[in-house]
Amino acid sequence: MGRDQSDDLVDFSIELLQTQTVALSACTTLVSIEPRLPMETRNRVMKATLGFFALPTEPSNIVESLITNLIILLGAILLTSGEDGRSRAEQLLHILRQLDPYVSASAEHQRRRGCVAVHEVLVKFRNLCSGGFGASGSYPTLSLKHIDQGGPRGSSSLPSAFVLPNRDSLSLGERIMAYLPRCADTDDEVRKVAIQIIALFFNISLSLPKQKTSANDIDLESSYGALSSLEDIVSIIRRASVDQIEVFHRVVSSVCILLSKDELVVLLHSCTLAACDKVKQSADGSIQAIIVFIIRRGKDLREADVLRTTQSLLSSAIALTDKHSRQEVLNAISCLAENTNHIVVFDEVLFVAGRDICTKDITRIRGGWAIQDVFYVFSQHKVLATLFLEYILSILHKEPVATNDSEKGEINSESSADDCILQATMFALNAFLRGGGKVGKQAVEQSYPSVLSALILKLGGLHGLAELGRNELLRSLLIAFQSFCDCVGDVEMGKILARDGERTEKEKWIDLVQEVACSSSVKRPNEVLPTCVILSKSLDRNQRAEREAAAAALSEFIRHSEKEPALLEQMVEELCQHVTDDSPTVRSLCLRGLVQIPESHILNYIQQVLGVILALLEDATESVQLTAVQCLLTVLNVSEQDAVDPILISLLVRLRNLQISMNTKMRSNAFAAYGALSAYGAGSQHHAFLEQIHATLPRLILHLHDNDLSVRLACRVCSRCFVFPY
């Protein structure tokens, strides 16, 4: 008889349409008489006939008659669907969901038919609720405003809670979201009917019992006031032409009051289809309504609700290719972050970004990558910019979990999921730095120390992965680091990164970090103090490469801290504490930092520095010993007799042990330092010093003929130091 929705509705003759109109009347009769058709059969009838809503408008008189008969049939199916409220509420929802494709169709005449059908079916359901569910299926036509809950009902003496469906069975949140876009439709008739549908839904819902668990979150006085406002709007639009935008705003305001917390949550979860409505004006209106709901009722949303709403809005943004409509959805996401738990929103955005980066070619997505637009919106938002930047930095600062038994040993690289999140984080930071405009730049300027220290630490950590051949994360970080340089106007730092950024040898990237620190110190001396405070705390991190990066930066920053004596004291204390780190690189860098204390302050710390050097001359790692000898030569240029005298003999003994090293640098520096110490031999340790000299002379004479030129030269200088004073 009819056609399914997927069939082509073409080539209808007038005779066929007339026959089908009569057939629909016959179906209505079959559905209405006893014995009633089984539910499965009724649903098959409905499925077979709904396709008529897609008929063309001509010939108008016959088609309109056919559509009228179809709506009557839907009403009959509802009336004969069951004996209690719950079953009829379920049938109502089934019918309404079957009508949704026509309510949201791109063709105006289909939307009009769909909305009229929804309204008529709802009127029948309201009348059922008003008069009770009788065994005969008949219904009175009482106005809802004059319901007498204690009056006689057709189903004998069953209590109303049993006879009536409860409010939750109407799925108000889902249904209101389905019809709200039509309240902003381009077609005047569709708008009017849609507003009546929403008013009718709430008219019915306020007469129905609600579950005890959620009954307390509805303010009846406010709800009836909002319903009265809705009914006033319905009366106005029936009589006169009014401002469409004002009417829509009044509808949204009333709906915002009338929805319970649970219904609001469902509505927001169901927003994707509305935001992507086929009618652009309706889609934009829906998004504006969502923003109003979030602003006014955001405090009612729990974390799980915020998460699911974020997912729905992101799905909308991804599905939309129209720039204006997508921007409106992005504004809604920003509004959600601003008015609810922003961390939950940021987490979900970053998760989706990581998933896309690892599974898609984001450069070839039609309409552009929506998540990048989300990053831009956050970075340009006056409230969210700082919050989002802090969030990004917290992810960069987050440490991977160590998997071995050593508390501060090497750790395994992040899992692939963590890598995706890290990639997304660096992409977000790059987008923030590139697309934040004045607001984003101001946030970066205010957080300069935090951003720089996070980039330095992650630079060290990712160079560790790059040494294993995994360069993709390092490249992403370097792109973000370059964007940071451009954002803060540090051209020199950008050149340093461009020149040496991808060199993965440890010595090279350590030098890179020190050059970056030097450039920052020169360009922004006022930021040295807060940056050093952050990096000093990072010396306690679990990841070895990040501790090495922190030590490398601090060893350079300390040279520029002469105007901050309190900071200098703190840095010296931190560096002294970490010369026992299990990383030889950290131990060496801490010592190098100590010997670079500004000359105006070095004498205040000379004994501490000499004590560290003395300890590291016996380090188990030769490279650390070599650093200690070299640093000793540097420190002796400014050391006084009183500072050296107590440890003079201990220094000489340790240097003698290093003079027999197979490392030529070690031998040459050990002899050079031995000679430099001769300047301190005239003090209280004079006799012990002479004994050390006498014990060393045979070795000194031997190495005057060393195979290495640098050792021979060092021995000659050392011998002159011995001969002339003594």
Side-chain angles (χ1 to χ4, degrees):
M1 177 193 69
R3 303 286 183 96
D4 191 79
Q5 297 176 31
S6 60
D7 291 340
D8 295 326
L9 299 173
V10 291
D11 195 25
F12 280 93
S13 64
I14 294 177
E15 292 79 6
L16 178 60
L17 288 172
Q18 289 174 335
T19 302
Q20 289 169 331
T21 303
V22 174
L24 283 173
S25 297
C27 285
T28 302
T29 303
L30 286 173
V31 167
S32 303
I33 62 175
E34 297 289 344
R36 295 183 182 179
L37 297 176
M39 180 181 296
E40 181 181 349
T41 304
R42 291 198 304 271
N43 288 338
R44 286 181 62 188
V45 170
M46 181 169 61
K47 183 178 180 181
T49 56
L50 282 175
F52 287 127
F53 280 117
L55 283 171
T57 55
E58 297 296 335
S60 59
N61 57 335
I62 299 177
V63 171
E64 287 176 8
S65 176
L66 189 149
I67 297 299
T68 300
N69 285 356
L70 176 55
I71 294 173
I72 293 172
L73 171 61
L74 295 178
I77 291 174
L78 174 66
L79 293 176
T80 58
S81 59
E83 300 295 340
D84 61 4
R86 180 178 179 181
S87 61
R88 280 179 173 157
E90 290 174 354
Q91 184 65 53
L92 171 70
L93 289 179
H94 180 66
I95 293 172
L96 296 183
R97 286 167 181 157
Q98 295 298 311
L99 290 171
D100 282 348
Y102 305 102
V103 171
S104 60
S106 56
E108 285 186 359
H109 69 278
Q110 291 187 32
R111 297 200 301 276
R112 283 196 296 270
R113 292 168 182 173
C115 287
V116 170
V118 169
H119 181 263
E120 293 302 316
V121 171
L122 271 180
V123 168
K124 287 181 169 53
F125 186 79
R126 182 195 60 183
N127 291 334
L128 287 170
C129 293
S130 301
F133 292 91
S136 64
S138 61
Y139 58 91
T141 56
L142 299 175
S143 170
L144 187 59
K145 290 185 176 181
H146 300 92
I147 296 174
D148 181 4
Q149 298 271 348
R153 296 183 180 272
S155 57
S156 69
S157 59
L158 289 174
S160 62
F162 177 81
V163 176
L164 290 172
N166 60 48
R167 173 176 173 138
D168 303 279
S169 65
L170 295 181
S171 297
L172 270 178
E174 172 202 317
R175 289 295 91 205
I176 296 302
M177 195 72 257
Y179 307 122
L180 198 58
R182 303 282 67 81
C183 297
D185 201 276
T186 53
D187 184 85
D188 185 59
E189 183 181 345
V190 171
R191 290 197 303 273
K192 291 179 180 179
V193 177
I195 294 171
Q196 293 178 60
I197 289 171
I198 289 177
L200 197 53
F201 251 116
F202 285 114
N203 194 311
I204 296 169
S205 67
L206 284 174
S207 71
L208 300 179
K210 188 159 178 47
Q211 292 181 354
K212 293 182 180 180
T213 55
S214 54
N216 295 330
D217 68 60
I218 296 178
D219 184 341
L220 288 178
E221 183 177 351
S222 299
S223 295
Y224 278 112
L227 178 59
S228 177
S229 177
L230 262 181
E231 292 176 338
D232 289 343
I233 296 171
V234 171
S235 300
I236 292 171
I237 61 177
R238 282 174 176 170
R239 295 195 308 268
S241 177
V242 292
D243 182 21
Q244 176 185 344
I245 296 176
E246 181 184 352
V247 168
F248 183 71
H249 287 166
R250 288 183 62 183
V251 170
V252 171
S253 296
S254 296
V255 169
C256 190
I257 297 171
L258 286 160
L259 290 169
S260 69
K261 290 181 182 180
D262 292 341
E263 291 161 357
L264 173 69
V265 169
V266 174
L267 179 143
L268 293 175
H269 295 173
S270 310
C271 69
T272 301
L273 289 177
C276 300
D277 195 89
K278 296 181 179 68
V279 180
K280 186 178 183 301
Q281 181 174 301
S282 296
D284 292 345
S286 301
I287 299 166
Q288 291 304 314
I290 291 165
I291 291 174
V292 171
F293 296 149
I294 291 171
I295 292 174
R296 297 186 183 180
R297 301 283 301 275
K299 62 182 181 298
D300 294 336
L301 301 179
R302 298 158 296 187
E303 285 191 8
D305 304 329
V306 175
L307 173 62
R308 290 188 59 188
T309 303
T310 305
Q311 292 170 343
S312 298
L313 290 172
L314 286 175
S315 298
S316 303
I318 292 169
L320 289 168
T321 55
D322 179 78
K323 290 185 177 180
H324 177 266
S325 297
R326 176 181 285 185
Q327 186 61 44
E328 292 298 313
V329 174
L330 300 181
N331 293 339
I333 296 173
S334 293
C335 181
L336 183 67
E338 183 180 1
N339 290 276
T340 61
N341 189 326
H342 61 273
I343 297 296
V344 175
V345 178
F346 294 162
D347 278 342
E348 183 59 24
V349 171
L350 205 64
F351 171 78
V352 174
R355 183 188 63 195
D356 285 356
I357 288 172
C358 293
T359 60
K360 301 176 182 178
D361 182 356
I362 58 175
T363 62
R364 303 182 67 178
I365 295 177
R366 182 170 172 266
W369 190 37
I371 306 302
Q372 179 173 263
D373 295 336
V374 178
F375 293 150
Y376 288 151
V377 169
F378 287 162
S379 65
Q380 295 164 7
H381 195 284
K382 290 183 179 180
V383 176
L384 296 178
T386 301
L387 295 174
F388 188 55
L389 182 58
E390 290 174 354
Y391 171 80
I392 292 172
L393 297 180
S394 71
I395 301 296
L396 288 178
H397 277 297
K398 189 178 295 183
E399 295 187 70
V401 180
T403 57
N404 65 338
D405 295 330
S406 174
E407 182 182 355
K408 290 189 175 182
E410 292 296 343
I411 63 169
N412 288 347
S413 62
E414 294 92 340
S415 65
S416 58
D418 290 337
D419 283 354
C420 291
I421 293 297
L422 187 55
Q423 282 272 27
T425 304
M426 292 184 289
F427 199 104
L429 180 59
N430 184 56
F432 191 103
L433 296 167
R434 293 287 182 189
K438 292 182 179 179
V439 175
K441 184 173 182 179
Q442 183 179 3
V444 173
E445 292 285 351
Q446 292 173 348
S447 303
Y448 179 93
S450 297
V451 179
L452 179 61
S453 57
L455 289 170
I456 286 174
L457 293 173
K458 194 54 68 175
L459 187 65
L462 296 183
H463 266 99
L465 289 180
E467 290 175 0
L468 303 175
R470 297 176 58 193
N471 297 315
E472 63 282 356
L473 290 172
L474 177 60
R475 292 193 188 99
S476 297
L477 179 70
L478 289 172
I479 292 172
F481 215 147
Q482 283 285 359
S483 298
F484 171 71
C485 297
D486 295 340
C487 183
V488 299
D490 197 330
V491 178
E492 184 61 30
M493 189 187 295
K495 291 179 179 178
I496 294 168
L497 288 165
R499 184 188 68 220
D500 297 324
E502 292 196 45
R503 302 189 68 172
T504 58
E505 305 92 335
K506 178 170 287 190
E507 294 79 7
K508 296 298 181 181
W509 73 256
I510 290 293
D511 291 342
L512 170 67
V513 170
Q514 292 178 320
E515 288 189 66
V516 166
C518 180
S519 175
S520 175
S521 301
V522 173
K523 187 80 173 178
R524 294 173 178 259
N526 294 334
E527 304 290 0
V528 171
L529 171 58
T531 305
C532 289
V533 170
I534 297 172
L535 291 174
S536 295
K537 296 177 182 177
S538 301
L539 289 172
D540 292 318
R541 296 174 74 86
N542 287 322
Q543 192 175 17
R544 176 178 293 180
E546 292 187 358
R547 298 199 308 278
E548 292 169 350
L554 288 171
S555 69
E556 184 62 35
F557 277 127
I558 198 170
R559 295 171 51 205
H560 305 271
S561 57
E562 64 273 4
K563 296 181 181 179
E564 299 286 349
L567 168 65
L568 182 59
E569 182 178 356
Q570 179 185 348
M571 290 177 67
V572 170
E573 182 180 351
E574 290 287 343
L575 293 174
C576 288
Q577 287 179 357
H578 289 87
V579 293
T580 57
D581 194 280
D582 65 356
S583 166
T585 303
V586 173
R587 298 199 295 274
S588 295
L589 289 168
C590 286
L591 180 54
R592 289 189 183 279
L594 289 171
V595 300
Q596 294 193 90
I597 295 172
E599 290 185 10
S600 58
H601 295 277
I602 185 65
L603 292 179
N604 298 331
Y605 303 102
I606 197 67
Q607 288 184 330
Q608 288 175 266
V609 175
L610 286 170
V612 170
I613 291 174
L614 180 64
L616 293 184
L617 285 172
E618 291 188 313
D619 196 271
T621 304
E622 187 177 64
S623 62
V624 179
Q625 290 178 314
L626 178 59
T627 300
V629 177
Q630 293 169 334
C631 290
L632 178 60
L633 281 167
T634 303
V635 171
L636 290 177
N637 292 327
V638 295
S639 298
E640 297 180 346
Q641 182 74 41
D642 293 343
V644 178
D645 204 48
I647 59 172
L648 176 61
I649 304 304
S650 298
L651 288 172
L652 292 170
V653 171
R654 286 163 173 75
L655 288 173
R656 283 181 59 197
N657 294 334
L658 298 176
Q659 289 167 359
I660 60 174
S661 171
M662 297 300 294
N663 186 321
T664 55
K665 280 189 177 182
M666 183 76 79
R667 294 201 304 275
S668 63
N669 280 278
F671 279 114
Y674 211 87
L677 283 172
S678 65
Y680 301 90
S684 60
Q685 302 286 337
H686 181 65
H687 293 294
F689 175 74
L690 289 178
E691 291 178 3
Q692 291 295 319
I693 295 296
H694 294 152
T696 306
L697 280 175
R699 182 180 299 160
L700 180 63
I701 295 170
L702 175 65
H703 284 282
L704 283 170
H705 305 282
D706 195 280
N707 292 331
D708 187 81
L709 176 61
S710 64
V711 177
R712 295 199 301 270
L713 292 174
C715 289
R716 290 172 190 174
V717 173
C718 181
S719 63
R720 293 192 192 104
C721 293
F722 291 163
V723 171
F724 290 106
Y726 309 106

